[in-house]
C-alpha cells in the first residue's frame, strides 16, 4: 500500500532495493548510493569482503571459498541479513552516523506493484535493521512516474513502463493512483539470457557471466532496429575445447532471439490497455508510454514498442534512477497532491 505524501515528508531517507542496483536517497543530501546489489562473502569465516561494484567485478572470478551473493531477487529481498549488511557498507559510517542522530528515524522504500505481504515485510525488516523506527512503502510505479515528471496527480491518463532487471511493470495512472497495472516476469536479465543461449546453440560459444553485459556486446548502433550493423565480433569460450574464441555474429539473428522474451512485454501492454477505461485510452493515444528503468536503455526497444502499439514512446531523461528520484521528491515535499474535498451542499 502506498503511503500518503504527509507520511513521506516525515521520512529521512529512501531506499530502492532492485535486483540489479541499490539506490539510497537521503533528505537534504540527494542520491548518496547507486551501486550493484551484490556482496562478496568469505564462506569460511562469514566475513563480508566487498559490496557494490567491486563485488560485481568479482562474480565468476573468485576462489571456492569466496561467494558473490545477491540478497535481492525480482525486486524482493530474499536474504534480509545480507541485505542489511550490504546496505550498511554501501552507506558508510559517516552517513549512518548522521541518520542515527535523527529522532525517530523514518524510511521509505519502493516495492513492486503486486508485492505480497511477505515481500513487503522483508523490505520493512531490512530497513528496521538499519535503525528505522517506521518504514513507509511506496509502489514503484508511482515513485517512478513522479521521478520522471509525469503529472500523476491530474485527472489525465499517463502510462508508465518500468523496465527492471528481473521484471517489467506497466501501468496507467490517473489522479495519483493506479487505474490498471500488469507485472510481466521478463526484464533485462531475460533478454541477456536469450542472447547467451542463442550464442551457445548457434555458435557453440560461452560468454563470461558478469564480466561483460552480453547485450552491450551483441548490439551496437541502432540495436534492435534493422538499420543496425549487419554483424559484430564476440569473444568468448568455445563450448567443446574450452579455449578462447572469437566469432562474427549476425545481429539479425540476435534481434530474433531477443524478440521472444519481449513478446511477453507487448502482451502485458495489451492487457493493460484492454482493462483501461476508453476515456483514458484516448488520452494515451496522444501522450503515449513513458519508459523508465535500466532496461529502458536497451537499444531500439522504444522503436519496437512504437511499431507494435502505434503509440508515442518516450524514454525518461535518467531512466535508471527515476524511482528513487521520485521517492526523493516526495521526501523533500516537492509534490503537491490534488485536493478532492467533498462538495458542500
Amino acid at each position: 500500500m502506498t503511503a500518503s505524501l504527509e507520511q513521506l515528508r516525515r521520512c529521512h531517507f529512501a531506499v530502492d532495493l532492485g535486483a540489479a542496483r541499490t539506490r539510497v536517497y537521503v533528505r537534504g543530501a540527494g542520491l548518496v548510493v547507486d551501486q550493484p546489489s551484490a556482496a562478496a562473502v568469505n564462506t569460511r569465516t562469514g566475513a563480508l569482503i566487498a559490496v557494490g561494484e567491486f563485488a560485481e567485478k568479482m562474480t565468476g572470478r573468485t576462489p571456492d571459498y569466496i561467494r558473490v551473493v545477491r540478497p535481492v531477487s525480482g525486486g524482493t529481498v530474499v536474504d534480509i541479513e545480507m541485505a542489511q549488511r550490504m546496505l550498511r557498507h554501501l552507506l558508510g559510517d559517516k552517513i549512518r552516523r548522521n541518520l542515527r542522530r535523527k529522532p525517530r528515524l523514518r524510511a521509505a522504500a519502493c516495492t513492486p506493484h503486486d508485492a505480497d505481504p511477505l515481500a513487503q515485510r522483508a523490505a520493512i525488516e531490512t530497513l528496521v535493521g538499519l535503525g528505522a523506527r517506521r518504514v513507509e512503502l511506496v509502489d514503484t510505479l508511482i515513485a517512478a512516474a513522479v521521478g520522471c515528471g509525469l503529472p500523476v496527480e491530474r485527472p489525465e491518463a499517463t502510462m508508465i513502463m518500468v523496465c527492471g532487471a528481473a521484471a517489467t511493470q506497466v501501468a496507467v495512472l490517473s489522479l495519483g493512483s493506479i487505474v490498471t497495472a500488469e507485472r510481466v516476469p521478463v526484464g533485462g536479465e531475460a533478454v541477456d539470457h536469450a542472447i547467451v543461449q542463442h550464442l551457445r546453440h548457434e555458435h557453440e560459444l560461452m560468454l563470461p557471466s558478469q564480466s561483460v553485459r552480453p547485450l552491450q556486446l551483441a548490439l551496437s548502433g541502432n540495436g534492435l532496429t534493422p538499420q543496425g550493423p549487419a554483424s559484430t565480433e564476440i569473444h568468448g569460450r568455445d563450448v567443446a575445447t574450452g579455449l578462447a574464441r572469437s566469432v562474427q555474429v549476425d545481429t539479425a539473428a540476435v534481434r530474433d532471439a531477443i524478440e521472444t522474451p519481449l513478446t511477453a512485454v507487448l502482451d502485458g501492454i495489451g492487457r493493460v490497455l484492454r482493462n483501461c477505461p476508453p476515456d483514458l485510452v484516448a488520452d494515451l493515444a496522444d501522450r503515449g508510454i513513458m519508459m523508465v528503468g535500466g532496461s529502458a536503455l536497451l537499444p531500439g526497444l522504444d522503436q519496437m514498442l512504437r511499431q507494435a502499439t502505434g503509440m508515442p514512446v518516450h524514454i525518461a531523461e535518467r531512466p535508471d534512477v527515476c524511482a528513487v528520484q521520485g521517492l526523493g521528491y516526495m521526501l523533500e515535499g516537492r509534490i503537491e497532491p490534488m485536493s478532492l474535498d467533498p462538495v458542500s451542499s
Side-chain angles (χ1 to χ4, degrees), residues 137-159:
L137 298 181
V138 180
D139 198 303
T140 303
L141 290 162
I142 291 179
V146 170
C148 64
L150 290 177
V152 291
E153 71 281 357
R154 295 181 190 167
E156 301 162 355
T158 51
M159 190 169 191

Side-chain angles (χ1 to χ4, degrees), residues 9-343:
R9 282 178 188 149
R10 297 177 193 160
C11 294
H12 302 98
F13 72 104
V15 178
D16 177 16
L17 271 171
R21 296 184 79 84
T22 293
R23 300 177 177 93
V24 181
Y25 187 105
V26 175
R27 192 169 70 191
L31 188 64
V32 295
V33 172
D34 184 1
Q35 295 274 348
S37 303
V41 184
N42 185 327
T43 54
R44 294 174 182 170
T45 63
L48 200 61
I49 296 171
V51 294
E53 285 183 5
F54 190 36
E56 178 96 340
K57 288 177 183 174
M58 292 168 72
T59 304
R61 301 167 182 265
T62 59
D64 292 341
Y65 66 91
I66 295 177
R67 191 163 57 97
V68 178
V69 296
R70 294 185 170 273
V72 185
S73 175
T76 302
V77 179
V78 292
D79 187 340
I80 294 172
E81 184 189 351
M82 189 54 66
Q84 289 172 352
R85 293 174 71 184
M86 181 185 76
L87 275 170
R88 284 193 199 104
H89 280 78
L90 288 175
L91 283 169
D93 292 336
K94 185 179 178 183
I95 296 172
R96 280 169 47 218
R97 270 199 306 271
N98 290 339
L99 289 175
R100 278 201 299 265
R101 292 192 189 116
K102 310 283 185 188
R104 292 194 60 80
L105 182 66
R106 289 173 177 246
C110 284
T111 55
H113 171 63
D114 58 351
D116 56 41
L118 282 176
Q120 294 179 356
R121 188 73 197 162
I124 291 170
E125 285 189 21
T126 301
L127 297 188
V128 166
L130 290 177
R133 301 286 294 277
R134 185 181 172 93
V135 179
E136 307 291 354
L137 298 181
V138 180
D139 198 303
T140 303
L141 290 162
I142 291 179
V146 170
C148 64
L150 290 177
V152 291
E153 71 281 357
R154 295 181 190 167
E156 301 162 355
T158 51
M159 190 169 191
I160 188 160
M161 180 172 157
V162 180
C163 310
T168 300
Q169 301 176 72
V170 187
V172 175
L173 310 175
S174 181
L175 285 172
S177 299
I178 294 172
V179 178
T180 178
E182 276 292 328
R183 184 172 183 268
V184 183
V186 171
E189 290 174 355
V191 172
D192 287 355
H193 182 68
I195 294 175
V196 170
Q197 291 300 107
H198 169 75
L199 292 173
R200 187 184 180 110
H201 293 149
E202 297 297 321
H203 299 277
E204 296 186 344
L205 193 75
M206 286 180 68
L207 288 185
S209 58
Q210 292 290 338
S211 58
V212 288
R213 273 185 69 83
L215 194 59
Q216 304 299 332
L217 286 175
L219 297 173
S220 56
N222 293 321
L224 299 183
T225 60
Q227 291 78 30
S231 65
T232 184
E233 189 176 24
I234 301 288
H235 307 281
R237 190 179 78 184
D238 191 285
V239 173
T241 65
L243 300 175
R245 185 161 66 92
S246 301
V247 296
Q248 283 289 331
V249 176
D250 179 18
T251 51
V254 173
R255 280 198 298 274
D256 292 340
I258 286 176
E259 282 179 6
T260 304
L262 292 182
T263 304
V265 175
L266 293 175
D267 292 343
I269 293 173
R271 285 194 297 273
V272 167
L273 291 173
R274 282 195 297 274
N275 295 333
C276 195
D279 290 347
L280 294 182
V281 175
D283 286 350
L284 295 174
D286 299 328
R287 298 172 181 277
I289 305 169
M290 177 65 79
M291 292 172 60
V292 301
S295 300
L297 298 171
L298 181 61
L301 176 58
D302 54 334
Q303 190 166 330
M304 179 183 168
L305 291 176
R306 219 171 274 129
Q307 290 172 350
T309 62
M311 295 164 60
V313 178
H314 316 282
I315 301 176
E317 190 174 339
R318 291 191 64 196
D320 50 338
V321 297
C322 279
V324 75
Q325 204 74 53
L327 282 178
Y329 291 161
M330 295 180 200
L331 261 61
E332 306 277 9
R334 297 190 203 175
I335 308 299
E336 288 297 329
M338 182 176 179
S339 58
L340 293 172
D341 298 324
V343 178

